[in-house]
C-alpha cells in the first residue's frame, strides 16, 4: 500500500488556477534534528497511543452505538467526539506517508484504519448523514442545533482525514464516505426554499470543503464553502452566553477589523476564508485575512505565538490584553494560527507569515506535547506561580495523557505527521525555503524539478547548509528566510560570501544553479533580551529571553531554594549559553545574571505608599530553558517574562 | 406593622453565650451622607424595581408553576432562581425597617411580601420541601443533585429572609415556612442510616442555620450547621469540570491554608464557619477563619477589596495572581467578604477586619450598583481597555438592568438595606465606631445604653463628629478606628486634643462620658499614591491613586483625545483635588501630572530588543474619579493602576 519514498501532496494541493504567489513542495522529507525527533515520537508514541486513548475515552464506543452494535449509554456530553477520531485518522494518513515508518507499524495502522472505515460505513445513513452524537442522542434531528451541535465541524474533520488518506495511500473508501457527507451538506444547506440557511457554530467545514474540491474537482464543494463564509456574520447563530462574537457571527468577515471570540473558531474560519480566496480570487476575502492577521499579531499575540487570552470562552481578549498567568494559548489555537499563516505565506510570499509560523511552531505549538510524547497540555500559560494549585478538568496547566475535551492531542498528531510540507514553497522561478529542518525537499520549476538537501542543527545551531541535489537547466532564485531577529546573518554560495542580499525578510540568490551547489546560511543565535510593547501591561518592567526562534523560560526546578516570584533579571548582565543533553533532551540552556528580591513587606495588606526604587538582594544566576520543554520535570513555577532589577 | 423609630436587630443577633469581643448595635440609623443617599436609591429604586425584574425574569412564574397554578415551561436552566426572590425578600424586610420609608411604599412592599409568602406556602410540600426548580423540573428528586442543585443554598436564603422579616416586622408566616424547610434539612441530612450524608455545592445554609438557631433557640439548627461545616472537604461532592477546589470540598476547612475555588462559595462557607465558632467556641474553626482571611488579604485581594481573579470558574487565583483586565471581583464576592470581615471583627475586635470591610464597601461593593440605581455590574475589573468589546451574557463589564444569573442585584439590595448595622459594635465597657456614616447608633453598656450621634461628610471630608446623646452613669471607652492609611489623624474631646491614643488601629478614649460630650476625629484625606507588593505582577511599574477609603480610577471619558493605554503618571508630580457636583453626583476629583507615551512602534510584531528607558511625550493632566463611579458615563476605557513615567 505504501510506496516507499513516494511523497504525497500535503494538507494543501492547489489547483491550476489557485491565486497564490508560492506553491507547496512536491515532495518533502524531514530527516534529522529536533523536528525529526519530535516526529519520531509522534509516529512511535502519540499516534499508536491515540487508538487506545480514543477507545478508553469512549469515542469509538459512541460510533459503535451509532452503528447499532454497541451497548450502554453515549459517552460524554460533548457533541464533537467524532472529530477526535477523524483528526487521529488524518494523523494516521500522514504517518502512513512517512518513509521511516516500519512495515509492521504500518500494517497495524492500516488494520485500524480499515476497521475505522468499516465502522464509519455502517454508521453512515443512506443519505450520507454521519454523526454519532446526533444519531444516538437526538435521532432524526439534523442541522437544527447549529450553534453548539458541531455537525459540520465534525464533517469537516472527516473530509480532511479522507483527503489526507487519499493523498497518502490512494484510499477511496474513506473518501467515498466523506464525499457522501459533503454531498448531503451541499444539498441540505443554502438559501433556497426547503434548505437550512445556516452556519456551524464552529468553523472548519469551509477549509475542508475547499480541499475536497481540490481533491475531486467538484465545484459544488467550493460553492458551499463560499456560502458558509458569506453567511457567517449575519446573526444566523443567535446569541448565547458568550455572545455573537464567540462564533464570529456578529459581523461578516469582510467587515471585521479585529479577531474576536473563540480563537480556534476565528482562525479556522480565516483559514477557510483564505482558501476560498485562493480558489475564487475574491480580493475582499484576502483583504480581510490580511487585515485580521495584522491586527491579531500586533495586539493579541503572545511572544510564544500563542493566541487566546481568556479561559472562560477560550477567546481573544482586547488589544494588548495578554495576561501571562491566564494566557489561554490553546494548543489548537496555535495549530490554527499555523494553518492561517501558512496559507497567507503561500498567497502573498511575505516573510512575516513564515516568521510567525516558525515562532508558533517552536513555542506555542511545540509546548503542547510533553517530551516523552505521552502527555498533552491544553492551555499554554506564560507564567505559573510557585504555589499554583492545579484544579478543574483538563489539567489546568498540567500535562496529562488525555482530556475530557480532547481536541488538542490528535490535532498535535496531524500537524506533526504532516510537518514536512511546511518547509518549502516555490513559484515559477523561485524556490523558497521558509523553515529550516534537515531533510530533502523538492519543488516543480518550469518543466523540471529542484531538489534541495538541507542539513542543519537549527534551532540549536545557526548554520544551515542547503545543497542543490537536482535542478533543471534554468536560472532560478533560491530564497532563504532571514527571521526578523536575524540581523547579522551571513550567506555564502559554494564558499563565496553573498553580500547583503536581504529584501523584506528573504535572502534571494538568482543564478544558474547546478547540482552540487551549496548555499550556507548562518543565522545569529546569540541569546537576546526582548521587551514588549509598553501597552502590553502584563510584561511591564520585564524582559524575556530568546535565542533564535526559541522563547525561553525560567522554571522553579532550576532555581532551588528560590521562588520565581522573588527573582529579578539584570538587564545589563551578560548572557551565556551551554549545550546540555539531559532530562530535557539535547537543548541549549541560557543563563543571565539576576538578583533576589528581599521580602520587606510585613503588613497584612499588600499595598503601601509608593516609595523609591526597588531594593534588590543577593546576586543569583537565572537559568533558562526553551519554553517548549517547560513542565516536563514535575510541577513548579515557570515564567517567560522576568522583572528587571 | 412598622413601629416608627423602632430599630430591629440586624443580620446577626448574638446569643448570650456567643464567643465574641464585640456585639452589634442595639439600634442604628444612617441619616446623611453618601451612604444615606445610596440607601435612598436602594429603597426608592432598586427594591421596588426588584419585584418587576423578578417577574420579568421568570422567578415568580417558576414559583407559580411549582404551586401548580402557572402555565408554560420552567424559565431558565439555573437551579437557584428561587434564591433571587429570597434575597429580594430579605432586602424588603430590612427596607421595611427603614424609618424613612414612606407609608404608601411600605404598604406596597407589605402587599408584595404577603403575596410572596402566600405563594411560598402553596409551593411548600407537606413535609416542608420547597424548591421550584426540583418540584417542577425533577419532581420527586430531592437532595440527590447536591453538587449543582443549590437546594440548600436556596433554603439558606429563604431562612435569612424569614429571620430578617421576623426581626423587622415580627412576621411569623415566612418564618414558619423557613422553619419547616430547616426542619426537613435537619432530619434529611446526617451520618445516620437512611439520611443523606452530604453538603451543598454552594455553601450558604451554614450561616443561615446558625442565625435561625439564634432567632428560635432551636439547637438542632446549630448542630446541622456544624455538621455541614464538618462534612465539607471530604470529597462528598465529587469532582467536576472545575475540580474539588471549586466548592472547597478538597480538604476540611480546619486543614485549609489558602482560600481557593469559587470566591463566593469560599467566603459564604467561612462566614458560616465563623458563626459556628461563635456559638460553639470551637477554636479550630476560628483559627481556620483567621488563617484564611490573612492569606486571602495578603495575596489574593485587589486594591478595591474585590476578590476572585478567574472568570471561568469565578474563582480565586494563585497567590499574587491579580490580573486587572480580568479581575473577576464579583459583586457578590465583595458582599461575602464584608460578611466575613464583619464576623471576624466582632469575634476579635481587630481593626484590620474593619479596614478591609470599609475598603470593600466603598470600592469593590459600591461599584456594583450604578449611580442611578437602575443597573448592576457582575464582574468589577480594575482595567478596561479603550477598545474593549463587551461580549457574552451578563454584560461583560457593562452595567445592565438585570442578569440571566441575577445573584448580585438582590444581594446588593439586602446589604444596602441593612447597612446601618455595620457601623457600631460594643463590649461591656467599650463602644466601637468602626465605620463613619452620619447617623444615630445605640449600644448596650452595662445596665444602660449609649447613644451616639455621628455627623460627617466622610469620605469626602475627614472630619467626624461623634456626639454622646445618651450614656449611663459609668466610665466607658469610646473606640474610633484610624484606618491603616490614616497616620496624621487628630482627635479631640470637647475641644481638647487627645494625644496619640492609637493602639492597633483604634483610638480609645476612656472617661466618664456625659451626654453632650463631643469627640472630633479628623482623618487625613489627602490624595495619595499607592504601590503594590512587587509580586503582584499586574501592577508592576504602576501606581494607584487613593484618597481616604476610596480607590480612584482614570476613565477615558475624562481624557478626551487620549487613549488610556498611552498615559503615564508622574510619580513626583503634585496631587490636587477638587469637589464637584455633576454627572457623578457630589464627589472629590483628584488630578495628577502625567505624560503621554508616544507611539514609536511601527513593526508588525509588538516585541523588540530591550532598549533603554521609556520615552515620554507631552505633559498631560490625569484626572481621576472614585472607582465606585466608573462606567456611569457610557462605555470607554478605565484603569486603576497607571504606569509611571
Amino acid at each position: 500500500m505504501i510506496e516507499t519514498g513516494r511523497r504525497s501532496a500535503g494538507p494543501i494541493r492547489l489547483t491550476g488556477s489557485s491565486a497564490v504567489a508560492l506553491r507547496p513542495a512536491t515532495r518533502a522529507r524531514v530527516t534529522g534534528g529536533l523536528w525529526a525527533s519530535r516526529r519520531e515520537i509522534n509516529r512511535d508514541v502519540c499516534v499508536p497511543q491515540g487508538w487506545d486513548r480514543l477507545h478508553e475515552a469512549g469515542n469509538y464506543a459512541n460510533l459503535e452505538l451509532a452503528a447499532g452494535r454497541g451497548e450502554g449509554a453515549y459517552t460524554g456530553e460533548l457533541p464533537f467526539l467524532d472529530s477526535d477520531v477523524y483528526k487521529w485518522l488524518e494523523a494516521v494518513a500522514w504517518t502512513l506517508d512517512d518513509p521511516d515508518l516500519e512495515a509492521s507499524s504500518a500494517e497495524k495502522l492500516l488494520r485500524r484504519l480499515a476497521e475505522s472505515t468499516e465502522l464509519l460505513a455502517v454508521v453512515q445513513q443512506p443519505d450520507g448523514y454521519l454523526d454519532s452524537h446526533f444519531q444516538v442522542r437526538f435521532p432524526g434531528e439534523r442541522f437544527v442545533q447549529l450553534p453548539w451541535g458541531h455537525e459540520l465541524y465534525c464533517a469537516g474533520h472527516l473530509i480532511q482525514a479522507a483527503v489526507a488518506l487519499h493523498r497518502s495511500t490512494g484510499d477511496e473508501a474513506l473518501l467515498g464516505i466523506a464525499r457522501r457527507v459533503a454531498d448531503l451538506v451541499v444539498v441540505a444547506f443554502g438559501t433556497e426554499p426547503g434548505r437550512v440557511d445556516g452556519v456551524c457554530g464552529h468553523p472548519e467545514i469551509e477549509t475542508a470543503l475547499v480541499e475536497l474540491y481540490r481533491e475531486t474537482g467538484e465545484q459544488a464543494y467550493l460553492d458551499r464553502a463560499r456560502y458558509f463564509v458569506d453567511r457567517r456574520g449575519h446573526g444566523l447563530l443567535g446569541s448565547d452566553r458568550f455572545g455573537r462574537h464567540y462564533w464570529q457571527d456578529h459581523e461578516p468577515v469582510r467587515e471585521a477589523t479585529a479577531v474576536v471570540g473563540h480563537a480556534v473558531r476565528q482562525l479556522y474560519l480565516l483559514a477557510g476564508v483564505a482558501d476560498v480566496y485562493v480558489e475564487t480570487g475574491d480580493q475582499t476575502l484576502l483583504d480581510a485575512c490580511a487585515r485580521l492577521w495584522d491586527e491579531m499579531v500586533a495586539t493579541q499575540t503572545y511572544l510564544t505565538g500563542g493566541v487566546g487570552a481568556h479561559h472562560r470562552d477560550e477567546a481573544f481578549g482586547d488589544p494588548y490584553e495578554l495576561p501571562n498567568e491566564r494566557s489561554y494559548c490553546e494548543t489548537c489555537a496555535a495549530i490554527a494560527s499555523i494553518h492561517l499563516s501558512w496559507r497567507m505565506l503561500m498567497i502573498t510570499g511575505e516573510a512575516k507569515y513564515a516568521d510567525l509560523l516558525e515562532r508558533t511552531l517552536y513555542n506555542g505549538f511545540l509546548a503542547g506535547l510533553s517530551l516523552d510524547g505521552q502527555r498533552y497540555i491544553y492551555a499554554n500559560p506564560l507564567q505559573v506561580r510557585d504555589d499554583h494549585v492545579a484544579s478543574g478538568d483538563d489539567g489546568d496547566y498540567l500535562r496529562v495523557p488525555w482530556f475530557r475535551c480532547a481536541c488538542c492531542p490528535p490535532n498535535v498528531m496531524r500537524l506533526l505527521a504532516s510537518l514536512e510540507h511546511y518547509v518549502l514553497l516555490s513559484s515559477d522561478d523561485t524556490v523558497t525555503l521558509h523553515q529550516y529542518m534537515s531533510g530533502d525537499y523538492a519543488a516543480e520549476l518550469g518543466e523540471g524539478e529542484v531538489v534541495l538537501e538541507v542539513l542543519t542543527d537549527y534551532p540549536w545551531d545557526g548554520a544551515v547548509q542547503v545543497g542543490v541535489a537536482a535542478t533543471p537547466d534554468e536560472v532560478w532564485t533560491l530564497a532563504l528566510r532571514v527571521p526578523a531577529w536575524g540581523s547579522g546573518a551571513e550567506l555564502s554560495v559554494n564558499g563565496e560570501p553573498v553580500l547583503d542580499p536581504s529584501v523584506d525578510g528573504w535572502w534571494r540568490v538568482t543564478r544558474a544553479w547546478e547540482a552540487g551547489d551549496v548555499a550556507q546560511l548562518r543565522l545569529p543565535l546569540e541569546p537576546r533580551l526582548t521587551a514588549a510593547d509598553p501597552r502590553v501591561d502584563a510584561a511591564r518592567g520585564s524582559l524575556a529571553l530568546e535565542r533564535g526562534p526559541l522563547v525561553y523560560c525560567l522554571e522553579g526546578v532550576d532555581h532551588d531554594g528560590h521562588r520565581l516570584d522573588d527573582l529579578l533579571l539584570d538587564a545589563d548582565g551578560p548572557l551565556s549559553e551551554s549545550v546540555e543533553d539531559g532530562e530535557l533532551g539535547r537543548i541549549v540552556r541560557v543563563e543571565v545574571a539576576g538578583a533576589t528580591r528581599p521580602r520587606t513587606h510585613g503588613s497584612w495588606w499588600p499595598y503601601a505608599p509608593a516609595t523609591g526604587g526597588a531594593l534588590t538582594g543577593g546576586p543569583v544566576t537565572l537559568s533558562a530553558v526553551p519554553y517548549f520543554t517547560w513542565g516536563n520535570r514535575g510541577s513548579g513555577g515557570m515564567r517567560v517574562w522576568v522583572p528587571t532589577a
Side-chain angles (χ1 to χ4, degrees), chain A:
Chain A
M1 297 283 283
I2 303 176
E3 302 165 33
T4 303
R6 169 185 173 276
R7 302 268 64 73
S8 72
I12 290 180
R13 177 155 68 187
L14 300 171
T15 66
S17 60
S18 297
V20 294
L22 298 170
R23 309 174 73 85
T26 50
R27 295 181 296 153
R29 178 176 182 178
V30 177
T31 55
L34 174 64
W35 289 107
S37 147
R38 295 282 78 199
R39 282 162 54 80
E40 186 180 327
I41 286 279
N42 189 51
R43 186 186 68 217
D44 297 342
V45 178
C46 306
V47 170
Q49 280 188 348
W51 172 261
D52 301 325
R53 301 270 160 82
L54 288 166
H55 277 79
E56 291 154 16
N59 302 60
Y60 271 94
N62 286 342
L63 285 164
E64 292 285 348
L65 280 179
R69 59 195 193 190
E71 286 186 1
Y74 196 84
T75 301
E77 290 295 312
L78 299 175
F80 47 82
L81 292 180
D82 290 355
S83 69
D84 300 338
V85 173
Y86 302 149
K87 279 189 277 193
W88 180 76
L89 289 174
E90 185 185 338
V92 169
W94 301 127
T95 300
L96 287 169
D97 203 36
D98 183 342
D100 297 320
L101 181 69
E102 287 185 11
S104 62
S105 302
E107 279 166 29
K108 199 167 177 185
L109 287 180
L110 284 167
R111 279 200 307 277
R112 290 172 171 178
L113 187 60
E115 193 178 319
S116 303
T117 302
E118 185 270 337
L119 173 60
L120 292 171
V122 176
V123 175
Q124 188 164 43
Q125 298 185 329
D127 66 354
Y129 190 83
L130 199 177
D131 187 297
S132 78
H133 176 76
F134 282 90
Q135 289 173 237
V136 175
R137 296 196 63 213
F138 303 95
E141 289 193 31
R142 290 173 173 200
F143 309 134
V144 293
Q145 296 187 26
L146 289 175
W148 294 108
H150 286 77
E151 286 158 293
L152 298 182
Y153 170 84
C154 289
H157 279 300
L158 171 59
I159 291 167
Q160 289 180 332
V163 167
L165 193 64
H166 190 242
R167 288 177 185 167
S168 161
T169 69
D171 175 275
E172 297 279 354
L174 193 62
L175 188 67
I177 293 171
R179 285 199 67 160
R180 284 190 288 281
V181 168
D183 292 341
L184 176 64
V185 169
V186 164
V187 298
F189 284 84
T191 51
E192 301 87 340
R195 297 189 172 201
V196 177
D197 185 22
V199 298
C200 183
H202 199 314
E204 157 68 18
I205 188 78
E206 298 82 358
T207 186
L209 283 175
V210 173
E211 209 58 43
L212 187 61
Y213 155 74
R214 289 168 174 159
E215 194 68 4
T216 64
E218 175 55 57
Q219 175 74 25
Y221 302 146
L222 174 62
D223 293 345
R224 194 49 77 231
R226 180 163 51 183
Y227 159 84
F228 287 128
V229 166
D230 289 344
R231 294 299 289 149
R232 185 172 293 271
H234 297 280
L236 296 178
L237 291 167
S239 190
D240 207 331
R241 67 195 191 97
F242 298 141
R244 290 184 177 178
H245 295 77
Y246 175 74
W247 32 51
Q248 295 81 42
D249 194 34
H250 61 300
E251 63 183 352
V253 68
R254 291 177 179 84
E255 297 168 22
T257 56
V259 290
V260 296
H262 188 267
V264 178
R265 281 172 168 80
Q266 174 71 82
L267 295 174
Y268 278 12
L269 173 65
L270 290 180
V273 171
D275 287 340
V276 172
Y277 160 75
V278 166
E279 300 308 333
T280 65
D282 181 343
Q283 182 69 30
T284 61
L285 295 178
L286 177 58
D287 292 346
C289 287
R291 183 172 68 240
L292 294 177
W293 189 96
D294 282 348
E295 193 272 344
M296 172 182 84
V297 177
T299 75
Q300 303 204 51
T301 301
Y302 285 91
L303 187 65
T304 58
V307 290
H310 292 181
H311 278 238
R312 178 167 177 266
D313 44 359
E314 310 184 306
F316 288 104
D318 289 329
Y320 305 107
E321 180 190 341
L322 295 164
N324 294 312
E325 298 148 308
R326 291 294 274 180
S327 42
Y328 197 63
C329 294
E330 185 183 338
T331 302
C332 281
I335 294 168
S337 170
I338 289 168
H339 288 171
L340 177 62
S341 292
W342 190 39
R343 283 160 174 78
M344 293 304 289
L345 173 62
M346 279 186 223
I347 293 169
T348 67
E350 290 184 44
K352 65 181 181 183
Y353 296 114
D355 270 19
L356 185 73
L357 192 162
E358 175 179 62
R359 176 176 291 273
T360 309
L361 200 57
Y362 280 89
N363 303 286
F365 164 72
L366 190 52
L369 178 65
S370 69
L371 294 175
D372 65 6
Q374 312 223 34
R375 291 165 296 142
Y376 303 87
I377 199 159
Y378 199 105
N380 295 275
L382 273 73
Q383 176 183 5
V384 179
R385 293 276 179 180
D386 300 290
D387 299 318
H388 176 65
V389 176
S391 64
D393 66 348
D394 291 349
D396 192 12
Y397 306 164
L398 286 183
R399 298 182 178 279
V400 296
W402 207 248
F403 306 109
R404 184 182 67 93
C405 173
C407 51
C408 298
N411 219 352
V412 168
M413 295 178 206
R414 68 181 185 140
L415 179 57
L416 279 176
S418 59
L419 192 66
E420 72 272 28
H421 300 287
Y422 289 77
V423 177
L424 186 88
L425 295 167
S426 70
S427 67
D428 288 347
D429 58 4
T430 301
V431 176
T432 300
L433 197 63
H434 66 89
Q435 303 298 324
Y436 299 118
M437 307 178 191
S438 289
D440 308 327
Y441 309 95
E444 280 181 350
L445 198 101
E447 300 297 304
E449 186 181 56
V450 169
V451 178
L452 300 183
E453 289 178 357
V454 177
L455 205 60
T456 180
D457 193 25
Y458 189 82
W460 310 123
D461 188 272
V464 181
Q465 175 179 304
V466 182
V468 177
T471 174
D473 191 19
E474 291 180 38
V475 170
W476 53 274
T477 300
L478 174 66
L480 302 175
R481 185 172 57 90
V482 178
W485 47 262
S487 75
E490 296 172 0
L491 178 65
S492 67
V493 173
N494 298 334
E496 297 290 316
V498 181
L499 294 179
D500 195 23
S502 177
V503 180
D504 290 342
W506 300 113
W507 275 11
R508 297 186 172 89
V509 182
T510 304
R511 57 188 281 165
W513 291 93
E514 295 178 9
D517 283 349
V518 174
Q520 285 274 9
L521 176 66
R522 181 167 293 279
L523 293 168
L525 291 195
E526 290 74 31
R528 61 192 192 274
L529 292 171
T530 300
D533 183 298
R535 288 165 289 185
V536 180
D537 290 280
R540 181 178 307 108
S542 302
L543 294 173
L545 279 161
E546 297 188 281
R547 182 179 181 278
L550 296 178
V551 175
Y552 276 65
C553 67
L554 305 186
E555 284 201 278
V557 67
D558 289 321
H559 298 86
D560 242 17
H562 295 292
R563 299 170 60 83
L564 290 189
D565 270 359
D566 294 336
L567 296 181
L568 300 169
L569 185 150
D570 180 355
D572 301 320
L575 299 165
S576 65
E577 63 177 56
S578 57
V579 178
E580 70 177 36
D581 195 349
E583 208 176 344
L584 299 177
R586 192 164 64 89
I587 62 161
V588 172
R589 184 181 287 271
V590 173
E591 294 189 333
V592 61
T596 60
R597 180 165 48 206
R599 294 278 175 115
T600 55
H601 195 80
S603 165
W604 58 275
W605 182 240
Y607 306 97
T611 56
L615 295 169
T616 59
V620 61
T621 297
L622 307 185
S623 186
V625 296
Y627 173 75
F628 78 80
T629 68
W630 89 272
N632 278 279
R633 293 174 289 173
S635 61
M638 182 276 288
R639 65 187 307 156
V640 169
W641 293 103
V642 186
T644 52

